[in-house]
Amino acid sequence: IRAGESAFLLQAGYELPWIEGLTASAAWVQGLDPDGADQFARAECDFDVKWTPTKGFLKGLSLRLRDAIVDQDGGNADTLNEIRVSANYAINF
């Protein structure tokens, strides 16, 4: 959040039953009225598919595919659409 900005978020998710640890979710956040004269309201939509194995040698692994869309209201900014892939592995010691 930028100075003076307010924001709200809507998010929904679903655990897909055919593969253990597989989830899908969508989120939308809207940022409004930042203080800066050269800053504009922005909205971001994220669509995620995430797999987090719960047992076996892959337990601790997390893989996520995200389609992120960012749109700015005003200025000369174009809509940003990017695909993000992330992998994390937790090691407990």
Side-chain angles (χ1 to χ4, degrees):
I1 295 181
R2 299 168 287 175
E5 184 175 39
S6 58
F8 58 92
L9 167 75
L10 295 172
Q11 186 172 14
Y14 182 70
E15 189 172 317
L16 301 165
W18 54 86
I19 298 177
E20 189 173 343
L22 185 64
T23 60
S25 65
W28 175 68
V29 64
Q30 176 70 56
L32 302 168
D33 303 324
D35 284 344
D38 61 341
Q39 296 179 332
F40 303 94
R42 288 186 193 152
E44 180 170 344
C45 293
D46 297 323
F47 304 97
D48 290 344
V49 175
K50 185 175 180 181
W51 181 52
T52 306
T54 57
K55 56 188 170 191
F57 73 96
L58 292 177
K59 184 176 180 179
L61 176 68
S62 177
L63 300 173
R64 181 181 72 181
L65 175 65
R66 169 175 281 180
D67 182 14
I69 304 164
V70 180
D71 187 35
Q72 178 172 291
D73 298 334
N76 60 358
D78 292 330
T79 298
L80 171 69
N81 189 353
E82 63 183 27
I83 302 294
R84 302 172 191 166
V85 177
S86 62
N88 293 294
Y89 191 82
I91 301 173
N92 297 321
F93 53 93

